[in-house]
Amino acid sequence: MSKPEIIITPDKMCLLASSWRSDRLKIALVPTMGFLHEGHLSLIKKARETANRIIVSIFVNPLQFGPNEDFDSYPRNIERDIFQLSKYGVDAAFIPTIQNFYSPNFSTSVDVNDLTQGLCGTDRPGHFKGVTTVVTKLFNTCSPHVAVFGQKDFQQAMVIKRMTRDLNWNIDIKIAPTVREHDGLAMSSRNANLTTLERSNAPKLYKGLCKGQTEITNGVRSAKKIQQIIYCFIKENLTEQIEYVEVIDKETLERIDTISRPIVIAAAVRLSKTRLIDNIILSPSNLSTS
Ligand code: AMP
């Protein structure tokens, strides 16, 4: 067990990454907002498969939170995170402060127009612009060959892939499967903010998506019908505060009518103060999921 090098300033991160690059080492970056759980750790394991230097960034990025969102109450525990990273042989933990990452007159943003309008983009205007801007800064400071993102935030991963392609970055974007609690709830740092009752009900979000999946397996091909089934299940069993339930094309993220190609069924709900999202990827040809 060896502690990762803790790096606070972007300059120092740039220097370390460029020295690794001169030594022809392959760098993988795992961007996170901390309060690490098994989902994050699975991304580190995936990074380890292809790279010999791993950087995990921990930064609760204010740009991607709306004014009435949970930036202040977002769970944080840096000491525990660093301990976790030691167990996984991470080489560097990049933990910038807001002040040293964003200069006082910071005024630049990176925005992906396509893919960001629907789903989480509808209820969180400006969210993806905050994500793509911070990930751009992380790519520039960490110079990764590979960056690993989670399927749990599927839209985010697709937006990052598009940004990377559009801006000609030679970075391999990998998407790792969603890691779940024993009862099916997708692991998330935000789960720590659920009340006991909310936590016990929260797996019904995934249950609803699985219900939709079962209907597709049984032959239903109408996206609207699947959407309705999931929507009603979540409304009756979990919450009326449903931000969206969508059946979308896996590549374009556009709504579809008939399920005939790889799709994603995705949903977002609010449980008092906590927002939960989840999704299932489905290829109707072989009905396998990931
Ligand atoms: P976050 O710290 O929530 O911003 O997440 C950092 C990265 O971990 C993102 O790429 C997420 O998609 C990914 N991630 C979060 N939760 C999970 C999970 N349960 N399984 C797999 N990856 C996850």
Side-chain angles (χ1 to χ4, degrees), residues 85-105:
L85 297 183
S86 322
K87 289 195 292 188
Y88 280 76
V90 167
D91 300 281
F94 179 40
I95 314 177
T97 62
I98 294 174
Q99 291 72 19
N100 73 23
F101 214 27
Y102 293 117
S103 46
N105 51 358

Side-chain angles (χ1 to χ4, degrees), residues 236-287:
E236 277 164 28
N237 294 282
L238 180 59
T239 177
E240 297 201 345
Q241 287 191 282
I242 302 173
E243 283 189 2
Y244 65 80
V245 173
E246 297 284 4
V247 180
I248 50 169
D249 180 278
K250 182 172 172 255
E251 298 305 321
T252 64
L253 308 189
E254 279 167 8
R255 284 186 188 139
I256 52 162
D257 293 328
T258 307
I259 300 166
S260 59
R261 52 188 189 272
I263 56 152
V264 180
I265 44 185
V269 299
R270 272 184 197 279
L271 301 183
S272 64
K273 291 187 216 118
T274 311
R275 184 173 183 276
L276 298 180
I277 59 172
D278 203 348
N279 66 77
I280 293 178
I281 299 176
L282 249 160
S283 299
S285 51
N286 55 19
L287 295 167

Side-chain angles (χ1 to χ4, degrees), residues 31-34 37 39-40 42-43 74 148-153 156 176-179 186-189:
T32 82
M33 297 205 297
H37 51 69
H40 296 115
S42 75
L43 307 189
Y74 194 86
V148 189
F149 293 84
Q151 182 196 315
K152 191 196 144 246
D153 300 274
Q156 168 176 281
T178 302
V179 177
M187 288 192 180
S188 166
S189 308

Side-chain angles (χ1 to χ4, degrees), residues 109-182:
S109 56
V110 177
D111 202 2
V112 175
N113 292 317
D114 196 18
L115 307 178
T116 56
Q117 306 306 316
L119 305 167
C120 293
T122 307
D123 288 283
R124 304 189 73 190
H127 166 69
F128 286 113
K129 189 154 118 178
V131 171
T132 42
T133 300
V134 79
V135 172
T136 296
K137 287 169 69 62
L138 290 169
F139 283 179
N140 285 337
T141 41
C142 301
S143 306
H145 299 85
V146 179
V148 189
F149 293 84
Q151 182 196 315
K152 191 196 144 246
D153 300 274
F154 186 73
Q155 186 179 17
Q156 168 176 281
M158 295 303 278
V159 168
I160 300 290
K161 259 186 186 248
R162 178 67 65 87
M163 172 182 82
T164 305
R165 189 206 68 181
D166 287 356
L167 298 182
N168 304 96
W169 268 310
N170 190 12
I171 301 173
D172 179 11
I173 305 297
K174 294 196 180 298
I175 304 182
T178 302
V179 177
R180 301 182 178 281
E181 303 284 358
H182 66 279

